[in-house]
Amino acid sequence: LYSLSDTPEPVEPPVLAFAVVDGKLVLRWAVSSQAVLEVSSQASGGTWTLAGEPLLDAGTYYYEVPMSAEASYFRLVVAQ
């Protein structure tokens, strides 16, 4: 049998926000989105890897990138 209690909690769609703070690119997204941050040197056709361990504060993940770093592309991915 299938019941409503078997239905997983709805997942908040991932939204990647950003700001420049003290010479760093700060990316942030909601923990509730269950998304992980990936990085690639190419927007298309490149290899995407986990960006690293984000900081956690009040239900929000934060990931900081020095503005002096090489050009990179970021995306959020939700595991299926």
Side-chain angles (χ1 to χ4, degrees):
L1 280 180
Y2 182 78
S3 70
L4 289 178
S5 63
D6 296 332
T7 305
E9 291 284 326
V11 175
E12 181 179 319
V15 175
L16 185 59
F18 69 94
V20 176
V21 179
D22 296 329
K24 297 177 190 170
L25 174 65
V26 180
L27 303 170
R28 64 186 186 280
W29 66 101
V31 171
S32 61
S33 71
Q34 300 179 5
V36 295
L37 184 66
E38 292 186 340
V39 61
S40 177
S41 61
Q42 299 176 1
S44 176
T47 300
W48 290 89
T49 59
L50 290 177
E53 195 67 32
L55 302 172
L56 173 61
D57 183 35
T60 301
Y61 283 129
Y62 293 86
Y63 187 78
E64 297 180 353
V65 183
M67 294 297 287
S68 60
E70 292 184 21
S72 298
Y73 297 89
F74 295 91
R75 70 180 181 184
L76 291 176
V77 177
V78 178
Q80 298 294 332

